[in-house]
């Protein structure tokens, strides 16, 4: 039996989408009765497949072991008696006779796993950009490094989203297990049909009145929102007036890093309040509409790793403006404009390259669609490889 341990919904969106995609590899009639997806109360909606799913309480210790009042005493007693505290997934492994585990977003408790397992990496930001607060602040460096080391020393298979990511893993950790690259894909929920009339209503709802750039990302510092706005200011002085549409739905991230306040302050001081639109959470039809109508999706992020929005752009026919750094430029693969994410003039020139240049936009759209179709084949090949490897353990 294969056990797939899905993460809590509190994790960031890209990790959730990647986890669900791994489940789909086993959403086939031949795996009925051979695979179980273990889920948690918060993310039951993630499961939309034929795979049997069992609900666990949380990702970590079982209810008895997590007792708030007795927790430290229980741990001490277990330590004296030399009895290890078992995580929920280990209890599930024994109860359901799991022979191989898949952990799309592992945590440190994975070191207690008693069976062969696969684990997924989606970010090495703490190694690649340790200067950023969201990669190393509040003890994150240690916790991420601990998990990375545990997985690379113990996992039999490691999933990662790009060849450059595979190279990073080998360079930093020399992993024991085989690495299988599984690229990102357009999430199923974005495969919607939105007619032009409805698209116009959506754009009007968010006060989009000018050519605009779309940026579907939280207000993390590494996402580089402020330099994008400074680039828009630079262009406005040259007679190019563009709006920016930011999503940034997480209230906790918005409050923690204060990017939104700085953006609005700069916009007010520049008399450019109308040039910035912060939408918050968007549904699938709204995201689809912004991709379809944007001058481009702009994402000059600082961490050199692939992102889901780039592949969404290619699949949905939206040009890309992205960072000319390792990981990003390989994913964009000549399907968009590359800019130096640290230089405002470079970002501005990248925007200007597509502004009022419909032939170039169409060229990048067509290249993106071709690249996306190639990526789908790579995903299919990766899933086939996963099945072969895992079946050899059963």
């Amino acid at each position: 039996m294969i056990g797939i341990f899905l993460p809590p919904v509190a994790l960031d969106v890209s990790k959730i989408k990647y986890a669900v995609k791994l489940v789909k590899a086993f959403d086939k009639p031949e795996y009925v009765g051979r695979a179980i997806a273990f889920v948690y109360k918060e993310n039951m909606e993630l499961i939309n497949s034929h795979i049997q799913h069992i609900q666990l309480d949380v990702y970590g210790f079982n209810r008895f072991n997590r007792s708030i009042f007795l927790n430290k005493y229980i741990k001490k007693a277990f330590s004296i008696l030399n009895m290890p505290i078992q995580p929920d997934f280990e209890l599930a492994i024994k109860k359901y006779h799991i022979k191989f585990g898949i952990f799309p977003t592992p945590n440190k408790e994975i070191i207690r796993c008693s069976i062969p397992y696969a684990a997924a990496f989606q970010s090495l930001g703490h190694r690649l950009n340790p200067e950023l607060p969201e990669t190393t602040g509040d003890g994150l460096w240690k916790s991420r490094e601990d998990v990375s080391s545990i997985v690379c020393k113990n996992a039999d298979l490691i999933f990662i989203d790009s060849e450059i990511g595979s190279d990073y893993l080998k360079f930093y950790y020399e992993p024991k297990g085989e690495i299988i690259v599984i690229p990102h894909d357009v999430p199923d929920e974005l495969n919607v049909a939105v007619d032009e009339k409805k698209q116009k209503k959506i754009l009007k709802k968010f006060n989009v009145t000018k050519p605009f750039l779309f940026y579907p990302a939280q207000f993390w510092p590494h996402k580089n929102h402020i330099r994008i706005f400074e680039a828009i200011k630079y262009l406005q002085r040259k007679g190019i007036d563009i709006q920016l549409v930011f999503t940034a739905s997480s209230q906790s991230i918005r409050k923690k890093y204060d990017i939104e306040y700085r953006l609005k302050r700069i916009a007010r001081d520049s008399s450019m309040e109308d040039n910035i639109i912060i939408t918050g959470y968007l549904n699938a039809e709204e995201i689809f509409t912004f991709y379809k109508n944007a001058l481009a999706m702009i994402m000059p992020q600082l961490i050199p790793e692939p992102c889901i929005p780039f592949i969404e752009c290619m699949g949905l026919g939206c040009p890309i403006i992205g960072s000319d750094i390792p990981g990003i430029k390989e994913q964009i693969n000549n399907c968009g404009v590359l800019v130096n994410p640290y230089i405002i003039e470079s970002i501005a020139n990248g925007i200007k390259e597509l502004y009022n240049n419909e032939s170039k936009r169409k060229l990048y759209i067509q290249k993106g669609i071709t690249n996306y179709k190639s990526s789908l084949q790579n995903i299919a090949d990766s899933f086939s490889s996963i099945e072969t490897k895992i079946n050899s353990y059963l």
Side-chain angles (χ1 to χ4, degrees), residues 40-58:
Y40 305 87
K41 291 180 181 179
E42 298 92 344
N43 68 0
M44 289 292 288
E45 72 274 13
L46 293 178
I47 303 301
N48 185 24
S49 69
H50 300 97
I51 300 173
Q52 179 187 5
H53 58 274
I54 305 293
Q55 182 178 318
L56 302 181
D57 290 324
V58 296

Side-chain angles (χ1 to χ4, degrees), residues 139-154:
L140 281 174
W141 199 94
K142 184 180 186 305
S143 63
R144 290 178 176 179
E145 183 65 11
D146 286 347
V147 174
S148 300
S149 300
I150 288 167
V151 167
C152 287
K153 288 178 182 176
N154 298 285

Side-chain angles (χ1 to χ4, degrees), residues 139-320:
L140 281 174
W141 199 94
K142 184 180 186 305
S143 63
R144 290 178 176 179
E145 183 65 11
D146 286 347
V147 174
S148 300
S149 300
I150 288 167
V151 167
C152 287
K153 288 178 182 176
N154 298 285
D156 297 270
L157 293 177
I158 296 174
F159 306 141
I160 198 159
D161 56 13
S162 65
E163 292 292 346
I164 192 76
S166 175
D167 292 341
Y168 291 148
L169 272 186
K170 292 171 185 175
F171 177 78
Y172 289 118
Y173 301 107
E174 299 181 0
K176 167 198 128 177
E178 180 179 350
I179 300 173
I180 298 178
V181 175
I182 307 175
H184 291 293
D185 189 9
V186 175
D188 286 343
E189 63 266 24
L190 291 185
N191 293 320
V192 294
V194 185
D195 61 46
E196 289 190 12
K197 185 177 179 180
K198 189 164 190 178
Q199 289 184 39
K200 288 179 180 177
K201 285 183 66 177
I202 289 171
L203 295 176
K204 184 177 180 180
K205 169 186 171 182
F206 290 102
N207 298 314
V208 176
T209 58
K210 306 171 184 176
F212 70 94
L213 298 166
F214 183 44
Y215 197 171
Q218 303 292 356
F219 280 143
W220 298 106
H222 77 271
K223 291 298 185 181
N224 217 9
H225 292 83
I226 292 175
R227 284 194 182 95
I228 300 172
F229 191 79
E230 293 289 357
I232 293 299
K233 280 178 55 182
Y234 177 90
L235 288 173
Q236 191 177 67
R237 290 196 294 268
K238 295 181 178 297
I240 297 174
D241 193 17
I242 292 174
Q243 287 181 301
L244 293 172
V245 177
F246 297 142
T247 54
S249 60
S250 170
Q251 290 296 327
S252 61
I253 294 172
R254 291 165 83 167
K255 290 177 181 178
K256 183 171 184 177
Y257 298 106
D258 219 15
I259 304 294
E260 181 177 5
Y261 170 79
R262 281 178 267 172
L263 279 168
K264 289 182 175 178
R265 177 65 180 267
I266 295 168
R268 186 175 70 247
D269 291 348
S270 307
S271 299
M272 292 179 64
E273 292 97 329
D274 292 343
N275 292 81
I276 184 169
I277 298 168
I278 300 172
T279 66
Y281 172 80
L282 295 174
N283 62 36
E285 290 187 339
E286 290 166 344
I287 294 172
F288 177 92
T289 296
F290 281 121
Y291 274 131
K292 284 294 186 183
N293 291 274
L295 173 66
M297 191 282 289
I298 187 166
M299 187 172 278
Q301 71 171 39
L302 305 179
I303 295 180
E305 295 180 318
C307 291
I308 287 178
F310 291 125
I311 201 69
E312 289 177 346
C313 276
M314 295 178 194
L316 296 176
C318 179
I320 298 168

Side-chain angles (χ1 to χ4, degrees), residues 349-378:
N349 288 335
I351 297 168
K352 189 177 179 181
E353 188 175 333
L354 293 179
Y355 186 78
N356 281 343
N357 193 336
E358 191 60 26
S359 61
K360 182 161 280 192
R361 286 186 73 257
K362 288 180 178 178
L363 175 64
Y364 283 132
I365 288 171
Q366 190 54 53
K367 284 185 174 181
I369 291 170
T370 301
N371 194 62
Y372 175 67
K373 290 178 180 178
S374 175
S375 179
L376 290 182
Q377 185 57 52
N378 292 339

